[in-house]
Amino acid sequence: MENNNKTQAELYREERKERLAKAAAKNAKRSPNSIKASKTAKKVIAIALAVVLCFGAVSAVLSFFDVPQKVISVSVDGIEENISLAEINYYYFQNWTQMYSTSAQYDQYGEGMGVQMTGFDYTKTPDKQDYIDDYKNVTGVAVEDLGDIENPTWEDALTYSAYSQLIYLKYGAAKAEEAGMELTEDELKAIDDEIEEIRATAKENDYSINRWLRTQVGKGVTEKLVRELEIQSHLATKFYEKYTEDASNSITEDKVNAEYAAAKDDYDIVDLRVYSFAPELESNHTHEENDEHKAEHAEAEKKAKEKADAFIKEVKDDASFVAAAKKAILTADNKSTKDPDATTLVKGIQASELKATYGEKVSAWAFDDARKVGDVAVITEESGTSYVVMMKALPTKDMSISSSDVRHLLVKFPEKNTNGSATSSKDKDGKTVSTITDDTKKVTKAEAQKILDEYLKNPTEENFIALTKKYTDDVDKNGKPNNDGLYANVTESSSLVEPFKNWALEAERKVGDVEIVETEYGYHLMYFVKGNEPSWYLSVKNKLANDIIENGVANELEEINKNTDRDSIFVKWAIDDQNKRIGNILLNMGFSHAGHNH
């Protein structure tokens, strides 16, 4: 299973600063060398040339057989195993593939959306694209992580990520082996299945698996290497999962309560009403450009503040706030259909989220100990935006369920309605829309009710599982129920349809609750297995566990990463070769400007 005043998310995006201008391309500068025209100099030059030619010939032969990729390695401090160029090739290509896929998917919603949302242009090779700190939220890589590079590119970021992934993987695998961890037969079979899928793809294209990997992924990448990396990845996952579990289990209730008491504003949530008035500027520039622009900004901010002051005069209670918002929305756009209630309600938000979305002053006001329900204020942030805010509920612990385990039995809607028509169709934009009739829904729900009645004769989880195996339409390719209908650890961020997720996370839900829930897929017979800790408790516990991880393994990994030498000329050659490969892929796809720099 697999979503006015503008919304605050829209405002936040609009108020972000423009992307930094791309850094100027490096100018290749060569210092002129003065060479004396003497017999000695001529002999030196001749000898040097001979060495270069000899090395070039040997290098060409070795490259053909992938020898450099296999035998040249880059030392990683703190790890006995070295990182080979072939491994860097593999992860660099994987990282490029991920960025290509993500950026291209965003472009489905409009040309240029991929670059806007990720900073990555999937039609160009990584070395042709500047990398700036704005993209850290996409990759996790800061410009300062890349070292002393004058004009960093996406090539640098993807290379750094490849190193980091390999360090993370090799460290975790080594620790797992130290602890005597081994892969299960199922895990080894899963790796075998992945290898066989690659082999089948290679065969379809008349390639051996090794030649396919070499040509498609990179020099030195072989079946053996992929298998080794997959084994290390599984072992590393085991180690990190166990380490995280141990860190979490070491957090006692007393530690949680002590941390909360010391920093409750970091964990409490608050309910507000918020309406914003942003400065309306005719031109696009910063406050600091010149006196004329500063004056324009000051005037625009003054007008925004006046609108906010006029708004707050109409606010007496919650209902009047919503009425004032409706009036303001219609004043800005008399055709607007935006809901003033939903648009202005900010529910269950933490201080850090308030600060990030609105500003430091709004957050400080909301979490001030002097606040009372019904308090209102106009707050102008550093951005120049004036916010009308109203306190709906004082800061308190978030008692909502952080996650839950539920089971479901799905009775899908049929492909045809009771009258013979299709239950879904395509609209003018090609999107699938539901055309299910009320009669069809009635019949489908009756089937679900019949199963529920059968369950109620023996209302146990064991019986629910048995009925799921017998009736559910949520099955795998072999026709078996997916995980016996169990969805563990359902959270707000889970990729589930809203009615399903809302039922699973309802605060009043009790163990053993059973109910029929309608979604776009059909009717779900839901069974509540258990709810986990309240959100506030889990937030505190996770913070304390993360502190343990940060001061332990995370610090060790950071030190290893920091002390790793990434300046090997061999790595640069390997990545340059990868960029050529990627450039050829893009050219074959019709992107004519895809060539690389080197």
Side-chain angles (χ1 to χ4, degrees), residues 74-83 163 166-178 239-240 553 555-566:
V74 182
S75 295
V76 179
D77 184 36
I79 298 178
E80 290 183 8
E81 298 179 63
N82 290 325
I83 291 176
Y163 269 106
L166 283 161
I167 290 169
Y168 179 89
L169 177 149
K170 289 180 178 292
Y171 179 95
K175 290 292 185 181
E177 289 175 353
E178 283 179 17
F239 167 72
Y240 290 118
V553 164
N555 269 350
E556 289 186 42
L557 286 168
E558 186 178 353
E559 283 301 309
I560 294 171
N561 221 342
K562 192 183 301 180
N563 295 326
T564 299
D565 179 16
R566 296 180 174 81

Side-chain angles (χ1 to χ4, degrees), residues 454-473:
E454 187 174 346
Y455 162 79
L456 291 174
K457 293 176 183 177
N458 178 21
T460 64
E461 185 175 0
E462 290 75 15
N463 187 35
F464 192 95
I465 294 171
L467 293 173
T468 299
K469 291 178 177 179
K470 185 177 179 180
Y471 294 117
T472 189
D473 289 326

Side-chain angles (χ1 to χ4, degrees), residues 388-573:
V388 183
V389 293
M390 176 178 175
M391 180 63 68
K392 276 187 64 68
L394 294 174
T396 187
K397 291 178 178 177
D398 185 356
M399 298 303 297
S400 63
I401 300 173
S402 58
S403 66
S404 68
D405 296 351
V406 297
R407 293 187 182 276
H408 90 126
L409 186 163
L410 173 64
V411 181
K412 287 177 65 175
F413 289 126
E415 293 184 0
K416 292 189 177 295
N417 286 303
T418 53
N419 62 11
S421 64
T423 53
S424 65
S425 62
K426 301 286 186 180
D427 63 12
K428 61 180 181 179
D429 297 322
K431 295 180 180 179
T432 301
V433 294
S434 173
T435 50
I436 300 171
T437 64
D438 289 341
D439 281 346
T440 301
K441 286 188 176 184
K442 184 177 179 180
V443 170
T444 308
K445 187 172 184 179
E447 292 178 22
Q449 183 62 50
K450 185 177 179 181
I451 299 171
L452 175 58
D453 292 341
E454 187 174 346
Y455 162 79
L456 291 174
K457 293 176 183 177
N458 178 21
T460 64
E461 185 175 0
E462 290 75 15
N463 187 35
F464 192 95
I465 294 171
L467 293 173
T468 299
K469 291 178 177 179
K470 185 177 179 180
Y471 294 117
T472 189
D473 289 326
D474 181 16
V475 295
D476 60 22
K477 61 183 179 181
N478 297 317
K480 295 182 179 180
N482 284 309
N483 203 26
D484 286 343
L486 177 65
Y487 279 79
N489 197 35
V490 177
T491 67
E492 283 291 349
S493 60
S494 297
S495 298
L496 300 166
V497 286
E498 290 301 313
F500 186 106
K501 188 162 57 177
N502 291 343
W503 189 91
L505 295 176
E506 192 171 300
E508 293 76 22
R509 191 67 56 217
K510 300 185 298 297
V511 174
D513 281 358
V514 177
E515 191 174 345
I516 295 174
V517 175
E518 179 185 341
T519 74
E520 62 196 76
Y521 298 98
Y523 288 97
H524 304 256
L525 189 55
M526 305 288 296
Y527 179 94
F528 192 76
V529 179
K530 67 174 183 177
N532 299 317
E533 295 108 330
S535 292
W536 78 269
Y537 189 94
L538 189 64
S539 291
V540 178
K541 188 176 180 180
N542 283 344
K543 191 269 181 187
L544 294 174
N546 284 337
D547 285 348
I548 293 174
I549 295 168
E550 284 293 327
N551 293 323
V553 164
N555 269 350
E556 289 186 42
L557 286 168
E558 186 178 353
E559 283 301 309
I560 294 171
N561 221 342
K562 192 183 301 180
N563 295 326
T564 299
D565 179 16
R566 296 180 174 81
D567 293 330
S568 167
I569 187 64
F570 298 112
V571 173
K572 297 184 187 303
W573 287 349

Side-chain angles (χ1 to χ4, degrees), residues 353-367:
E353 294 173 303
L354 267 178
K355 182 178 178 180
T357 307
Y358 303 101
E360 189 170 354
K361 294 178 183 177
V362 170
S363 181
W365 181 88
F367 282 84

